[in-house]
């Protein structure tokens, strides 16, 4: 496939590098000039559990004037609206747009710009990636990618996309109900995103922490309750056991919200813990635990001055 990855941060670079290494024609678009220059000059160097390689990737600072088969929108949630609005020249009659962000809400914004009939939603589970330097990315975990249609996109089209990712070594599948899987991931994310960002603790530290452990479990339970109230078909019988198993599998992990805070950046907390009170309001409910955590994170971020 001819693929454009828009947003070439750590995760976007992993996607682009592995897809290019599998023989797909990949271009990337990113605002970081040094990264774009390094990729254009020397290729994208990607390292991970299966070794290190340099792959050729065309890199641009702005959207090029050429259409592709697949657009992968891998920007942060705060940048989704602007990025989705800029995709015009990449989109042809049969182009699929795949958006991959943490939390809930980003796909709604993308659909407003590209249409629901060409939109797929992706979930990245169990990933750990970091940019080492311009043009260099490392990933230390890569569990699963799941893709589903946002609206009227056919299952066959989503399955073709998943097939392209499988050729690049991803555990990638098309699923019929992506919304349920989004909520299942959200239950885990709310348990650790705000608690870790506020305290500097790792996932494992929070798990049994005297003070933050109960808060983490309460955030997950509240999210599970709202999902059930929204009639989301989640396959989670016990939210506390669910998030404990998740955390125990990656105790040294730092959620993206904590990494953002360590870098002095505003996080995606509004799409993670902040999504729960918004979804609760749709069914006349409140979500005080997640609302409070979101308010605390946003108060801290108000002093950063950098997005």
């Amino acid at each position: 496939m001819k693929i454009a990855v828009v947003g070439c941060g750590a995760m976007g670079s992993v996607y682009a590098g592995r897809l290019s290494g599998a023989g797909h024609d990949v271009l990337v678009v990113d605002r970081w000039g040094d990264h774009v220059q390094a990729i254009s000059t020397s290729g994208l160097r990607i390292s991970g559990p299966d070794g290190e390689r340099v792959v050729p990737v065309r890199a641009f600072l702005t959207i090029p004037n050429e259409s592709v088969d697949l657009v992968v929108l891998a920007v942060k949630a705060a940048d989704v609206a602007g990025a989705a609005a800029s995709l015009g020249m990449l989109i042809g009659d049969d182009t699929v747009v795949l958006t991959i962000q943490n939390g809930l809400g980003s796909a709604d914004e993308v659909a407003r710009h590209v249409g629901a009939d060409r939109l797929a939603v992706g979930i990245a589970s169990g990933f750990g990636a970091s940019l080492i330097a311009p043009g260099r990315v490392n990933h230390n975990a890569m569990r699963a990618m799941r893709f589903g249609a946002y609206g009227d996109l056919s299952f066959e089209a989503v399955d073709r996309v998943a097939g392209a990712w499988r050729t690049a070594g991803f555990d990638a599948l098309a699923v019929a109900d992506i919304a349920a899987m989004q909520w299942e991931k959200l239950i885990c994310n709310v348990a650790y995103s705000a608690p870790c960002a506020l305290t500097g603790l790792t996932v494992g530290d929070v798990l049994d922490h005297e003070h933050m452990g109960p808060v983490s479990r309460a955030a997950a339970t509240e999210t599970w309750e709202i999902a059930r109230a929204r009639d989301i078909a989640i396959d989670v019988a016990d939210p506390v056991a669910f998030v404990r198993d998740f955390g125990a599998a990656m105790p040294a992990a730092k959620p993206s919200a904590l990494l953002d805070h360590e870098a002095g950046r505003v996080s995606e907390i509004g799409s993670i813990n902040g999504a729960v009170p918004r979804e609760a309001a749709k069914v006349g409910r409140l979500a005080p635990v997640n609302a409070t955590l979101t308010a605390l994170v946003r108060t801290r971020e108000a002093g950063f001055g950098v997005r």
Side-chain angles (χ1 to χ4, degrees):
M1 298 181 80
K2 186 175 182 180
I3 301 170
V5 178
V6 178
C8 195
M11 296 293 284
S13 294
V14 172
Y15 303 154
R18 294 189 69 94
L19 288 164
S20 177
H24 299 285
D25 179 8
V26 178
L27 65 89
V28 299
V29 182
D30 198 83
R31 297 180 297 185
W32 185 17
D34 290 348
H35 193 42
V36 168
Q37 180 62 37
I39 295 170
S40 297
T41 302
S42 306
L44 178 58
R45 184 177 297 274
I46 179 171
S47 57
D50 51 358
E52 183 174 301
R53 65 192 301 190
V54 179
V55 294
V57 177
R58 294 183 293 135
F60 301 87
L61 287 169
T62 58
I63 300 294
N65 186 15
E66 54 182 286
S67 63
V68 298
D69 301 311
L70 173 65
V71 175
V72 181
L73 199 57
V75 298
K76 292 272 193 176
D79 298 320
V80 160
S86 74
L87 298 180
M89 291 182 289
L90 291 173
I91 295 177
D93 291 342
D94 298 318
T95 302
V96 173
V97 176
L98 171 64
T99 190
I100 309 175
Q101 282 80 38
N102 287 320
L104 298 178
S106 294
D108 299 332
E109 190 64 46
V110 179
R112 280 192 280 273
H113 291 282
V114 307
D117 58 343
R118 68 168 72 251
L119 182 59
V121 177
I123 297 174
S125 175
F127 271 70
S130 59
L131 283 173
I132 302 169
R136 298 185 61 190
V137 66
N138 177 74
H139 67 100
N140 51 28
M142 190 179 71
R143 290 190 183 175
M145 303 291 301
R146 297 294 181 263
F147 307 134
Y150 174 86
D152 296 331
L153 185 66
S154 70
F155 183 85
E156 289 74 21
V158 178
D159 194 44
R160 283 195 296 273
V161 171
W165 287 67
R166 284 194 294 273
T167 67
F170 293 94
D171 173 5
L173 293 174
V175 298
D177 189 354
I178 196 68
M181 298 194 75
Q182 283 182 292
W183 275 90
E184 289 169 11
K185 183 178 180 182
L186 185 68
I187 291 167
C188 292
N189 283 352
V190 299
Y192 301 107
S193 291
C196 291
L198 289 167
T199 62
L201 298 172
T202 66
V203 167
D205 292 335
V206 166
L207 197 61
D208 290 309
H209 193 274
E210 178 184 4
H211 304 299
M212 291 309 298
V215 174
S216 169
R217 294 188 287 273
T221 300
E222 182 178 82
T223 304
W224 177 80
E225 291 170 348
I226 298 304
R228 288 164 58 88
R230 294 270 285 108
D231 292 327
I232 306 297
I234 54 173
D235 186 20
V236 177
D238 182 342
V240 171
F242 185 62
V243 299
R244 286 187 63 83
D245 288 347
F246 175 87
M250 51 181 70
K254 294 182 177 182
S256 62
L258 174 54
L259 295 174
D260 285 333
H261 280 208
E262 290 179 340
R265 295 188 301 259
V266 171
S267 71
E268 296 177 295
I269 207 68
S271 298
I272 304 173
N273 294 84
V276 184
R278 289 198 302 274
E279 293 295 321
K282 295 177 181 179
V283 288
R285 300 277 293 268
L286 298 174
V289 176
N290 283 284
T292 301
L293 286 169
T294 304
L296 290 169
V297 171
R298 284 178 165 160
T299 300
R300 185 176 187 214
E301 291 175 351
F304 289 171
V306 178
R307 188 165 77 179

